[in-house]
Amino acid sequence: MSTLTDAALARLEALVDRGRYFTDAESLSHCAIDGVAPHAGVQATTVEQVGEIVSFAAAEGLAIIPIGSGAQLGIGAPPARYDIALKICLDRILAFDPRDLTLSVEAGIPLNSLSARLRESRQFVPLDAHAGGSATVGGILAMNSSGALRNAYGTARDFVLGLEFVTGEGVRTKSGGRVVKSVAGYDIHKLMIGSLGTLGIITSANFRTFPLPPVQATFIATFQDAAGALQLRRAIAESRLQPRALDIVSPEAARFLKHADLSRTESLAVPELNWEEIRAELGETRAAEYRRQHREAVAAVRKVLPRAEAAGFSETAWSLVVAAGGNDSVVERHCRELETLAAAAGALSFREAKPDDPATAPDSLDGCEEWRWIRAFPDCVLQFDPVSAIFKLAVPPAAFGATLDGAKQIATRHELSSAALLRAPGLIYLALAPGNAAAGAINRLAAAGEELFTATAQAGGTAVIEFCPAELKRKMSVWGPPRTDLALMKNLKKEFDPRGILSPGRFYGGI
Amino acid sequence: MDPKIIRELEQILGKQSVLSKSEDLMMYEYDGSIEVARPEVVVFPRTTQEVVRIVHLANRTNTPITGRGAGTGLSGGALARQGGILMVFSRMNKILELDLENQRAVVQPGVVNMDITRAVEHAGLYFAPDPSSQKSCTIGGNVAENAGGPHTLLYGVTSNHVCGLEVVIPSGEVVRVGGKTVDAPGYDLTGLLVGSEGTLAIVTEVTVKLTRLPEAVKTLLAVYDSVDDATETVAEITARAITPAACEMMDGWTLRAVEAWVHAGFPLDSAAVLLIEVDGLKEAIEVQADEILDVCKIHHAREVRVARDAQERELLWKGRKNAFGAVGRLSPSYYVQDGVIPRTKLPMTLRQIDVIGKKYGFEIGNIFHAGDGNLHPIILFDPRDLAQYERAVAAAGEIMAHCISVGGSITGEHGVGFEKSELMPLMFTEADLEAMRRVRHAFNPTGLLNPGKIFPFGKGCGEVRVQPFAVGSSTPL
């Protein structure tokens, strides 16, 4: 382990193109993670540079964190050490063969520019992230981010064919292939996806692509209580219907979505927040950090949400939102049968959501405003209450009801308000909000979080915290308690990053 | 093998669960490939705890362990290449839990693939991966090899349908990875272990996803007078982004071999047939089937038949799934390849295989998952004729080299095993292989589990390393 001496900095600077090295406080603050800023930043424009920079860092024992757009840096634990921020400025489409439905891209390409190219061939890759289209492919893969479309397409682990990455020793390596089927060698790419930059730095990825559905529609059914919405979820799961996406929005979540005014810069002042109290509780530096994070989160949301009006989610009812796609008759049938099933489950209302921009509608789910708001759920919550925590609970869908009840009790016990977004494959995004930054907010969140971790494990699931204040991360692991698989993961980490320089401390079990 | 080890195994498992006589061991020296390797002892554990005790014993005595399901694998994965213990899972064959509402089943590794479907089809569910051997192959073997099958075109391979495992690692510890739920924190060990060919851990329990049975199925048989027309059809179906549930091709030579045995109704005078299946909502498949018909016509299909009922559909699939058995009647031995190519390269690749066959004096049959670009060229040869054997191996090597040269893979679903380990450098650099060795080292540092698989021995690359053997004998020539 060493620190960055002037001589070392000079060598680092020499590894990148002119103007691609920075040490000014302003630029470094954009790379900060949970208040920890690096000592230097570099932008790599070639894979060779990524290899050389990592080799340099390994030789010097310097901690390095890869960054795509920076949109998702808040996910994970705070880094144990952080010397160099490595921006991956590789954004070419290396190969796209629409007639073969395969694609190879560099890791730094933003999702929206990739989607635009694929749309020309009426294809897409079902990648998604709460940060939206500005997130890079590499960032999405490193986080294994996903969105509502995973109901039909799974996550990146299901449709990435192969990856190239640089190991913690700076060695360029690949796994998998470029064809739609290959079982040659270990699927190391599966390990890399969701490894948060702790095992290797992804430099390019090969995907299978998918045809855009010719017709797409979104339907919303509302219910007086969770039970009705869950009954409809089950009925759809047991029907012949094949929805592309199925989410359930709790009334509390709808309130966050509806009142988050993400269109005007003035709203960034957020009068609901008592900054005095926050400062009193967290101290000057941390409070300022929250304020900055919050401002950034809001700014990021503005890019994907141009409208001031909130989506048509009821604030008093549970909304079940379904996307269907296919030819005309397939979509019509979904409409018909969903309405019947919704009525049987006691729905208060059933309607089709209007796509606000039919030209881009079929891309993923973006043509429909409701889905954009759902994607921005974490940001909407954080706008109200930056001192809130958003958990991702993975439970069997049959346990949705019991998990919601349990979560509600835990929240109430700790004087937290809760809001839930459910996703059909078995996920609950649960926001716990202290409401204001009154004394003890962090302690209450921590206590509730531990109880949630225990309850989820007992129900046969797992839980992680996706978004929360850095202060909470210092009290508890966002990855939940370790399981029997941790020792093997530590072995793998040691093999791929023997010097422990890749995003140290950010991952599960302190990896 | 030290008789003390055998006695200890008998103490752990009981005498009836340990085989060590040479005539018994002979039964376990083959799998579905052309490889041979005889274990020193065969054991049949019934519980995870028994597996743990065997692993401890193996560790102490430095005895290799190789896992085996039904022995239907096609790359030598379940053969005890370096002797030692062959651990057969046929007695760990219980379905432990059917969780129909959450569409999950928890099963022991010895459960036969098809039996999962049989157990849940009453509820409108099934287990999607369908290797041709699905009536006999086990889920443990499917997990080890990341097995595919015709319907993986739409539904994905085994790794897309396995969400959790219980494994015993070489230290003897029992580790759970993944589970019934999605997105377990940490690295995706489940995704890594599926397809690791038994070289990282011994799987003792598998949690699989169950898929809802499609509402409607339509099976088409398109008949062609030229192989080119058939491959062009497949390329265009892909290019139009139509994804059938399955799209299989059989050339004239293969279908005649199949027809003589199965009587599925394949036209004997055709150059090739495509067996295409669409499934899903009835509104969707009608449109898909029409589009496919259109493509078939453009590419001069002589005839397109639609299976009238389930029985006719079954018969067509029986012809496809029993093809290798049918080919086996024609020759003392055959060598099945498993290369993958981009679908756009299908027409030129089939022509290239024909050229390679002529060069080496073989008629090479082709029956394969055309929609995935996953080729299975079959080379018939007589292993007693060393010159012929060597030509077969050389021809296979050229086919593989071609697959790689167009951006493909040396194996789509059969695994590397010890058949293709020497081909790995065609696809992977030394750095790539080193990364894989490190993965193995993280799990299996002393090489206790399934040694001699996946990784190339020599520095030389591109050579298929198989030992010929006389039919009816286990002695390599």
Side-chain angles (χ1 to χ4, degrees):
Chain A
M1 205 164 305
S2 73
T3 49
L4 269 170
T5 60
D6 286 347
L9 286 173
R11 271 184 289 146
L12 177 62
E13 184 173 8
L15 293 176
V16 292
D17 304 342
R18 186 186 293 272
R20 298 281 186 172
Y21 163 87
F22 52 91
T23 49
D24 61 293
E26 165 77 25
S27 306
L28 293 178
S29 75
H30 291 305
C31 303
I33 299 172
D34 293 321
V36 184
H39 301 297
V42 281
Q43 299 176 333
T45 54
T46 66
V47 184
E48 289 75 17
Q49 286 177 0
V50 176
E52 286 165 13
I53 293 161
V54 177
S55 297
F56 162 81
E60 299 285 327
L62 298 168
I64 190 163
I65 295 183
I67 298 179
S69 70
Q72 309 194 85
L73 284 178
I75 298 177
R81 294 180 294 125
Y82 188 7
D83 299 304
I84 303 167
L86 171 57
K87 295 268 276 181
I88 305 298
C89 299
L90 310 162
D91 58 2
R92 289 175 302 162
I93 294 177
L94 299 171
F96 173 42
D97 189 349
R99 292 180 62 86
D100 192 46
L101 289 101
T102 54
L103 168 77
S104 179
V105 295
E106 289 186 318
I109 189 169
L111 182 57
N112 50 16
S113 26
L114 175 59
S115 300
R117 169 65 192 93
L118 297 181
R119 199 185 299 128
E120 290 168 17
S121 302
R122 298 209 42 79
Q123 294 179 16
F124 78 113
V125 178
L127 290 172
D128 204 349
H130 85 94
S134 64
T136 64
V137 166
I140 291 172
L141 296 181
M143 305 287 173
N144 195 23
S145 312
S146 63
L149 279 176
R150 68 179 289 166
N151 192 47
Y153 301 93
T155 69
R157 287 170 180 159
D158 293 296
F159 50 82
V160 166
L161 306 172
L163 282 184
E164 294 197 9
F165 57 93
V166 169
T167 68
E169 290 172 295
V171 181
R172 289 177 57 186
T173 310
K174 71 170 179 299
S175 139
R178 282 178 288 159
V179 282
V180 295
K181 213 172 166 189
S182 178
V183 294
Y186 299 136
D187 283 353
I188 298 176
H189 47 286
K190 302 236 171 166
L191 288 180
M192 291 291 156
I193 299 170
S195 66
L196 207 73
T198 60
L199 218 47
I201 297 179
I202 298 167
T203 53
S204 69
N206 308 329
F207 294 94
R208 69 162 71 219
T209 61
F210 295 82
L212 289 169
V215 183
Q216 179 167 260
T218 292
F219 305 97
I220 301 172
T222 59
F223 294 88
Q224 192 148 23
D225 51 27
L230 294 175
Q231 189 188 329
L232 177 57
R233 180 212 68 82
R234 183 170 177 171
I236 294 170
E238 289 174 356
S239 77
R240 301 291 196 175
L241 300 179
Q242 300 172 325
R244 298 179 81 217
L246 193 164
D247 281 13
I248 297 173
V249 180
S250 78
E252 296 83 6
R255 235 162 277 153
F256 278 119
L257 300 185
K258 202 146 187 165
H259 291 280
D261 181 354
L262 304 166
S263 63
R264 288 174 301 118
T265 319
E266 298 86 81
S267 71
L268 296 182
V270 195
E272 299 91 323
L273 290 177
N274 187 334
W275 289 106
E276 287 307 315
E277 280 191 25
I278 293 176
R279 202 173 293 131
E281 183 184 333
L282 306 175
E284 186 71 44
T285 324
R286 282 175 191 154
E289 175 60 18
Y290 288 162
R291 197 170 177 141
R292 191 190 59 74
Q293 280 179 3
H294 162 201
R295 215 175 282 148
E296 277 179 16
V298 173
V301 173
R302 273 187 61 226
K303 288 178 203 147
V304 291
L305 292 170
R307 290 173 154 212
E309 300 83 31
F313 292 118
S314 163
E315 285 179 70
T316 52
W318 288 73
S319 300
L320 184 141
V321 192
V322 187
N327 62 42
D328 275 322
S329 25
V330 167
V331 174
E332 271 166 33
R333 175 162 167 203
H334 274 86
C335 177
R336 209 167 53 236
E337 293 190 9
L338 284 169
E339 186 159 16
T340 311
L341 292 173
L348 302 170
S349 69
F350 179 85
R351 68 182 174 89
E352 180 177 349
K354 287 272 168 291
D356 57 1
D357 185 358
T360 60
D363 190 85
S364 55
L365 292 164
D366 269 3
C368 176
E369 191 183 357
E370 279 82 355
W371 288 115
R372 284 207 304 281
W373 284 92
I374 283 177
R375 172 195 277 158
F377 173 64
D379 299 303
C380 294
V381 173
L382 294 171
Q383 183 195 6
F384 270 97
D385 198 346
V387 192
S388 52
I390 297 160
F391 290 76
K392 181 170 83 170
L393 312 177
V395 294
F400 273 155
T403 308
L404 285 175
D405 290 345
K408 185 100 200 160
Q409 285 170 18
I410 291 171
T412 310
R413 197 150 56 232
H414 297 282
E415 297 169 52
L416 299 162
S417 61
S418 66
L421 172 67
L422 284 65
R423 191 148 286 164
L427 291 174
I428 301 177
Y429 291 90
L430 180 81
L432 294 183
N436 58 53
I442 295 292
N443 285 338
R444 282 186 279 131
L445 278 175
E450 294 297 352
E451 284 178 33
L452 265 179
F453 281 142
T454 308
T456 320
Q458 279 167 357
T462 58
V464 297
I465 304 177
E466 285 221 323
F467 304 91
C468 75
E471 184 71 3
L472 183 61
K473 295 183 182 183
R474 293 189 175 89
K475 283 194 185 293
M476 65 190 298
S477 165
V478 296
W479 300 105
R483 314 192 312 161
T484 58
D485 53 10
L486 180 60
L488 284 172
M489 294 184 194
K490 286 188 167 168
N491 289 354
L492 284 166
K493 167 73 174 175
K494 208 182 267 172
E495 295 286 343
F496 280 84
D497 179 21
R499 299 292 309 268
I501 57 155
L502 296 179
S503 307
R506 297 209 67 211
F507 201 46
Y508 173 62
I511 288 174
Chain B
M1 176 173 275
D2 185 344
K4 273 196 287 193
I5 297 177
I6 292 169
R7 269 203 306 280
E8 261 196 74
L9 286 167
E10 285 173 347
Q11 279 161 14
I12 296 169
L13 299 168
K15 275 200 159 95
Q16 76 291 352
S17 298
V18 180
L19 299 178
S20 58
K21 285 192 212 129
S22 128
E23 62 268 32
D24 289 332
L25 298 178
M26 259 177 74
M27 309 300 291
Y28 291 90
E29 66 186 17
Y30 298 99
D31 65 358
S33 72
I34 59 173
E35 309 287 344
V36 187
R38 191 178 294 184
E40 292 167 277
V41 60
V42 179
V43 297
F44 301 87
R46 287 173 189 279
T47 64
T48 301
Q49 269 324 301
E50 287 181 352
V51 173
V52 169
R53 292 177 68 191
I54 297 165
V55 170
H56 281 305
L57 166 63
N59 238 324
R60 208 172 64 235
T61 56
N62 209 12
T63 313
I65 301 179
T66 299
R68 182 181 173 99
T72 56
L74 292 161
S75 58
L79 298 182
R81 187 172 194 183
Q82 296 181 8
I85 300 168
L86 188 71
M87 191 180 278
V88 182
F89 286 94
S90 50
R91 291 181 193 168
M92 283 179 76
N93 61 350
K94 286 178 197 61
I95 293 176
L96 300 172
E97 186 191 351
L98 294 177
D99 182 351
L100 299 178
E101 190 182 347
N102 293 311
Q103 295 184 211
R104 298 288 188 266
V106 183
V107 304
Q108 288 188 316
V111 170
V112 169
N113 171 302
M114 192 68 181
D115 287 346
I116 301 177
T117 293
R118 288 211 181 97
V120 297
E121 59 192 354
H122 68 89
L125 299 169
Y126 75 116
F127 179 59
D130 64 336
S132 292
S133 54
Q134 72 185 128
K135 285 180 181 162
S136 49
C137 67
T138 64
I139 185 68
N142 293 172
V143 167
E145 302 297 322
N146 193 7
H151 289 79
T152 58
L153 177 56
L154 180 61
Y155 292 99
V157 290
T158 301
S159 82
N160 302 105
H161 297 273
V162 170
C163 51
L165 299 170
E166 177 195 80
V167 299
V168 178
I169 56 174
S171 63
E173 283 165 86
V174 180
V175 178
R176 287 194 164 271
V177 301
K180 274 191 194 176
T181 54
V182 298
D183 290 13
Y187 302 134
D188 181 14
L189 298 186
T190 312
L192 174 72
L193 287 166
V194 176
S196 62
E197 306 195 17
T199 61
L200 301 181
I202 298 172
V203 173
T204 49
E205 188 188 295
V206 187
T207 304
V208 299
K209 296 180 188 169
L210 301 171
T211 305
R212 195 143 297 279
L213 281 163
E215 170 181 75
V217 181
K218 204 165 199 173
T219 309
L220 297 90
L221 184 76
V223 183
Y224 294 86
D225 289 327
S226 107
V227 171
D228 266 359
D229 284 336
T231 50
E232 292 287 359
T233 301
V234 177
E236 186 161 345
I237 288 174
T238 314
R240 290 195 187 187
I242 305 165
T243 306
C247 177
E248 301 286 304
M249 179 171 152
M250 238 187 281
D251 66 11
W253 182 88
T254 315
L255 70 88
R256 281 183 283 279
V258 170
E259 192 57 23
W261 190 35
V262 181
H263 311 300
F266 298 136
L268 293 172
D269 61 338
S270 60
V273 297
L274 292 176
L275 181 59
I276 306 171
E277 190 157 278
V278 289
D279 72 23
L281 291 180
K282 55 182 186 291
E283 289 85 352
I285 71 161
E286 288 305 329
V287 175
Q288 270 197 326
D290 285 348
E291 280 185 272
I292 289 168
L293 271 171
D294 186 39
V295 179
C296 293
K297 271 190 209 139
I298 290 172
H299 292 285
H300 320 108
R302 183 171 89 191
E303 180 194 355
V304 182
R305 293 184 206 161
V306 179
R308 277 161 302 189
D309 50 31
Q311 204 183 350
E312 202 171 306
R313 173 177 176 259
E314 287 286 308
L315 193 59
L316 289 173
W317 278 112
K318 192 177 163 196
R320 166 61 186 90
K321 294 206 169 183
N322 289 304
F324 291 141
V327 169
R329 301 183 349 142
L330 300 182
S331 167
S333 190
Y334 61 85
Y335 190 15
V336 185
Q337 304 299 297
D338 183 35
V340 188
I341 52 160
R343 281 80 58 99
T344 47
K345 306 283 195 247
L346 265 175
M348 61 100 84
T349 300
L350 268 272
R351 288 195 291 270
Q352 186 61 26
I353 290 174
D354 191 47
V355 169
I356 294 170
K358 290 206 170 85
K359 177 176 160 190
Y360 288 96
F362 294 108
E363 189 152 21
I364 301 179
N366 284 290
I367 171 163
F368 61 101
H369 311 308
D372 283 321
N374 187 183
L375 308 169
H376 291 321
I378 306 170
I379 305 171
L380 299 192
F381 71 101
D382 183 343
R384 292 163 299 194
D385 178 344
L386 187 60
Q388 204 184 103
Y389 161 79
E390 281 171 350
R391 285 207 316 278
V393 170
E398 264 194 52
I399 293 171
M400 282 301 132
H402 170 82
C403 291
I404 301 301
S405 74
V406 297
S409 170
I410 56 170
T411 174
E413 56 183 15
H414 295 173
V416 178
F418 67 99
E419 181 210 343
K420 287 180 283 278
S421 57
E422 299 305 316
L423 289 176
M424 288 289 276
L426 285 178
M427 256 185 101
F428 296 107
T429 65
E430 183 46 40
D432 304 337
L433 292 170
E434 174 60 20
M436 292 182 201
R437 281 189 204 99
R438 290 189 180 200
V439 168
R440 183 175 60 176
H441 192 256
F443 283 81
N444 181 19
T446 60
L448 193 77
L449 298 183
N450 211 0
K453 308 293 169 68
I454 299 181
F455 296 94
F457 273 106
K459 286 259 181 240
C461 64
E463 198 177 314
V464 187
R465 193 222 46 76
V466 281
Q467 285 291 311
F469 56 91
V471 171
S473 138
S474 62
T475 319
L477 288 173

